[in-house]
């Protein structure tokens, strides 16, 4: 496990970030890493305020950027407006927006309710649209700052399932395919304004969303068969890539889907078959 690789302390110094769904899992990892790299971070959550508060307190004890917690359901337009207004009030402006919040409501197609479909589309896809739109509005309103050579950065947490079909999860996979087109379309639209839009595409990462898939040694072994590199990922594996993507080190990366999946998208079954 290489989750102990060092953060780069000044990589994002002076920048302000908002991370949605940041009170657990990959979002928490991203918030912690951005702060370790010097950015101030708004930690969005919808339930479990105590988890968001604890993460902020912990971040605020470290030597990096400062953290605040903001509640909002990203599928609701008025709540997204209020979240951006609060982050901008506290920090002055935003430079980095990580649209990360995501849920699964798994079911076979024939049993899937409209509510399961709507909830996943609402949070994963409508939420991504609403946050990206507010981010672009704020970057454009405020203009260039001397903290970065970009006007702003939008980074989506997509998934290997923007590419890999997933039986029993068609609502979830549909949102990730949608994020890919959302990301590429707005990357093309916003690049002339120096707004960089990109995605990470995580594979199997140890978080609450897929707990059952790695909770027992047997389950973890079965999951590892899908991962050529031979280990289930950790939130820090994704978070380090997000921090780098947000930094000027990645200034020429625009409209990219970066698969951070231990090789899951390499069709591992073909290593011995086909
Ligand atoms: C899903 C996880 C799953 C992983 C690999 C992610 O996008 O949220 O539940 O383990 O993809 O299949």
């Amino acid at each position: 496990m290489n989750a102990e690789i060092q953060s780069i302390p000044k990589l994002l110094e002076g920048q302000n970030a908002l991370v949605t769904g940041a009170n657990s899992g990959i979002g928490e990892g991203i918030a912690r890493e951005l702060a370790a790299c010097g950015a101030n971070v708004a930690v969005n959550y919808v339930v479990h305020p105590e988890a968001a508060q604890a993460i902020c307190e912990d971040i605020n004890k470290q030597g990096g950027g400062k953290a605040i917690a903001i509640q909002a359901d990203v599928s609701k337009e008025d709540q997204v407006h209020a979240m951006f207004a609060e982050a901008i009030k506290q920090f002055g402006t935003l430079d980095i927006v990580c649209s990360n919040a995501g849920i699964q409501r798994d079911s076979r197609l024939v049993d899937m309710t409209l509510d399961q479909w709507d909830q996943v589309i609402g949070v994963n896809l409508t939420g991504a649209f609403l946050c990206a739109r507010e981010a672009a509005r704020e970057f454009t309103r405020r203009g260039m700052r001397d903290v970065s050579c970009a006007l702003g950065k939008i980074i989506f947490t997509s998934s290997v399932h923007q590419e890999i079909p997933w039986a029993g999860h068609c609502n979830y996979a549909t949102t990730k395919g949608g994020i890919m087109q959302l990301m590429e379309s707005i990357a093309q639209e916003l690049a002339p304004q120096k707004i960089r839009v990109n995605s990470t595409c995580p594979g199997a990462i140890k978080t609450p969303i897929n707990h059952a898939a790695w909770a027992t040694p047997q389950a973890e072994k079965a999951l590892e068969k899908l991962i050529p590199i031979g280990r289930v990922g950790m939130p820090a594996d994704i978070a380090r890539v997000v921090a780098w993507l947000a930094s000027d080190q990645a200034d020429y990366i625009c409209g990219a889907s970066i698969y951070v999946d231990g090789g899951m998208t390499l069709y591992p079954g073909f290593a011995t078959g086909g």
Side-chain angles (χ1 to χ4, degrees), residues 112-126:
M112 189 175 285
T113 63
L114 181 58
D115 194 44
Q116 287 173 314
W117 175 265
D118 283 343
Q119 277 186 41
V120 174
I121 301 284
V123 173
N124 298 14
L125 194 52
T126 305

Side-chain angles (χ1 to χ4, degrees), residues 29-218:
I30 294 172
R32 288 180 181 279
E33 182 65 17
L34 297 184
C37 294
N40 297 317
V41 186
V43 171
N44 160 254
Y45 65 97
V46 60
V47 288
H48 300 303
E50 69 293 343
Q53 280 307 340
I55 292 162
C56 290
E57 279 165 28
D58 201 32
I59 289 174
N60 288 330
K61 276 191 233 143
Q62 320 289 327
K66 295 293 161 220
I68 55 167
I70 306 181
Q71 184 172 30
D73 174 345
V74 296
S75 69
K76 305 281 187 321
E77 188 175 33
D78 55 337
Q79 296 189 33
V80 172
H81 281 151
M83 170 174 70
F84 272 79
E86 181 63 18
I88 292 162
K89 186 171 138 211
Q90 299 277 338
F91 293 150
T93 188
L94 287 166
D95 307 284
I96 301 161
V97 171
C98 298
S99 171
N100 166 82
I103 57 169
Q104 287 182 216
R105 297 289 181 267
D106 305 329
S107 171
R108 296 188 319 155
L109 173 66
V110 291
D111 300 321
M112 189 175 285
T113 63
L114 181 58
D115 194 44
Q116 287 173 314
W117 175 265
D118 283 343
Q119 277 186 41
V120 174
I121 301 284
V123 173
N124 298 14
L125 194 52
T126 305
F129 153 69
L130 290 171
C131 291
R133 188 185 64 182
E134 292 319 301
R137 285 177 175 169
E138 171 58 14
F139 301 156
T140 317
R141 177 199 67 76
R142 171 257 297 155
M144 285 301 281
R145 302 208 305 141
D146 60 7
V147 292
S148 170
C149 46
L151 185 67
K153 283 83 55 154
I154 298 170
I155 300 170
F156 294 105
T157 303
S158 183
S159 165
V160 291
H161 296 296
Q162 72 171 32
E163 167 82 24
I164 302 176
W166 205 13
H169 308 76
C170 70
N171 49 357
Y172 182 84
T174 299
T175 63
K176 298 302 181 176
I179 285 177
M180 183 180 73
Q181 279 299 336
L182 172 67
M183 183 277 287
E184 292 186 11
S185 298
I186 67 175
Q188 191 188 63
E189 185 172 321
L190 300 173
Q193 292 163 258
K194 286 189 183 256
I195 298 173
R196 290 193 298 110
V197 188
N198 294 288
S199 293
T200 61
C201 301
I205 307 299
K206 284 191 182 178
T207 74
I209 210 174
N210 61 357
H211 185 248
W214 52 270
T216 65
Q218 297 89 311

